[in-house]
Amino acid sequence: EADIYQTPRYLVIGTGKKITLECSQTMGHDKMYWYQQDPGMELHLIHYSYGVNSTEKGDLSSESTVSRIRTEHFPLTLESARPSHTSQYLCASRQTWGETQYFGPGTRLLVL
Amino acid sequence: SQKIEQNSEALNIQEGKTATLTCNYTNYSPAYLQWYRQDPGRGPVFLLLIRENEKEKRKERLKVTFDTTLKQSLFHITASQPADSATYLCALVGYGGSQGNLIFGKGTKLSVKP
C-alpha cells in the first residue's frame, strides 16, 4: 500500500461552495499529480508539480487550482463548485527519476 | 497527439483460463509502457513496466509483451482467479506538452467467473 493519502474520500456539496481536496504523501517524492476520472473513462491529468513552488496545468482544462508549498502536500481547490465538477479526483506521486506512479484512494465529489 | 487504445472495454472469462488484454498506441514510440490495476472506487496500483528493448516481462502469474513494430502491448494473467476481477489500465509516457507525464488508456474491465 502506497503512503499517499487523500481527504475527504467522499464529498457532497452545493453549487457555489469553495472546496479544497487534500493530498499528502510521506515518500518524499518530488513529482505530484492530480487526475480527474469519470466512470468508465480514462484518467485525465489536470495539474502536476515537479517540486516545491512548481505547478503546471495538465492536458485537461480545469477550473481548479493547486499549490505546492511543502514537498509532501499538494491540495486542489475549487473556488466555486458546479455540477460539472462532479467526478473522481485522484492524486499521485513519484520519485524524480522513478517510473512508477503511486496513487491515493481518490476523492469522489458530487456537486448538487 | 499520442493515443492509447485498449480495444476491449470488458472481458469475461472462466476461472483458471488465461486472460489476454490488448493495448495499442499511435503517434509515439515510448521508452517504456506500464500496466496498472484499478479496483472500483480506488486509485490505480502499479503492476508491471516493460521497456522498449524488452520483449517480455513476467511477475508471478502476470506476463507483459511489448512489440514496438506493431505498437502493441499484451497483458496476460494465467490461471485467472475471481480476485483478478478489476479494470486494467495501460499507460505510457507522453511527449511534447505531456512530456514526462503518463497518459492512460480507458482500461479493460476483467471479470473472472468461478
Side-chain angles (χ1 to χ4, degrees), chain A residues 13-33:
Chain A
I13 202 161
T15 296
K17 299 291 186 183
K18 177 180 178 179
I19 59 170
T20 296
L21 308 185
E22 301 287 349
C23 175
S24 295
Q25 50 93 8
T26 57
M27 298 174 282
H29 290 170
D30 286 324
K31 294 186 174 180
M32 295 191 73
Y33 307 85

Side-chain angles (χ1 to χ4, degrees), chain A residues 35-88:
Chain A
Y35 293 87
Q36 186 173 339
Q37 185 182 33
D38 293 319
M41 301 299 289
E42 62 264 54
L43 282 75
H44 289 290
L45 182 66
I46 51 175
H47 297 283
Y48 61 98
S49 167
Y50 286 168
V52 171
N53 294 326
S54 149
T55 61
E56 301 287 345
K57 290 189 180 294
D59 302 320
L60 182 68
S61 175
S62 173
E63 293 163 348
S64 58
T65 58
V66 292
S67 62
R68 190 89 183 276
I69 299 172
R70 301 197 318 264
T71 297
E72 62 271 21
H73 194 213
F74 191 40
L76 180 145
T77 298
L78 276 165
E79 290 293 333
S80 179
R82 294 210 298 267
S84 60
H85 295 139
T86 294
S87 189
Q88 173 163 259

Side-chain angles (χ1 to χ4, degrees), chain A residues 1 9-10 31 33 35 37 40-43 45 48 50 57 59 88 90 94 98-106 108, chain B residues 4 9 32 34 36 38-46 49 51 89 93 97-107:
Chain A
E1 197 80 10
R9 292 293 315 278
Y10 305 94
K31 294 186 174 180
Y33 307 85
Y35 293 87
Q37 185 182 33
M41 301 299 289
E42 62 264 54
L43 282 75
L45 182 66
Y48 61 98
Y50 286 168
K57 290 189 180 294
D59 302 320
Q88 173 163 259
L90 289 159
R94 67 175 167 126
E99 294 149 339
T100 303
Q101 272 187 199
Y102 299 88
F103 284 83
R108 193 170 293 275
Chain B
I4 300 177
E9 284 195 11
Y32 58 84
Q34 303 184 24
Y36 288 77
Q38 186 174 24
D39 290 290
R42 309 286 298 180
V45 175
F46 171 78
L49 179 151
R51 302 183 189 284
L89 309 175
V93 177
S98 300
Q99 191 156 4
N101 297 323
L102 284 178
I103 300 170
F104 287 85
K106 282 188 183 180

Side-chain angles (χ1 to χ4, degrees), chain B residues 22-49:
Chain B
T22 305
C23 174
N24 295 293
Y25 58 93
T26 58
N27 296 333
Y28 189 51
S29 297
Y32 58 84
L33 187 147
Q34 303 184 24
W35 284 88
Y36 288 77
R37 169 182 172 143
Q38 186 174 24
D39 290 290
R42 309 286 298 180
V45 175
F46 171 78
L47 295 175
L48 280 169
L49 179 151

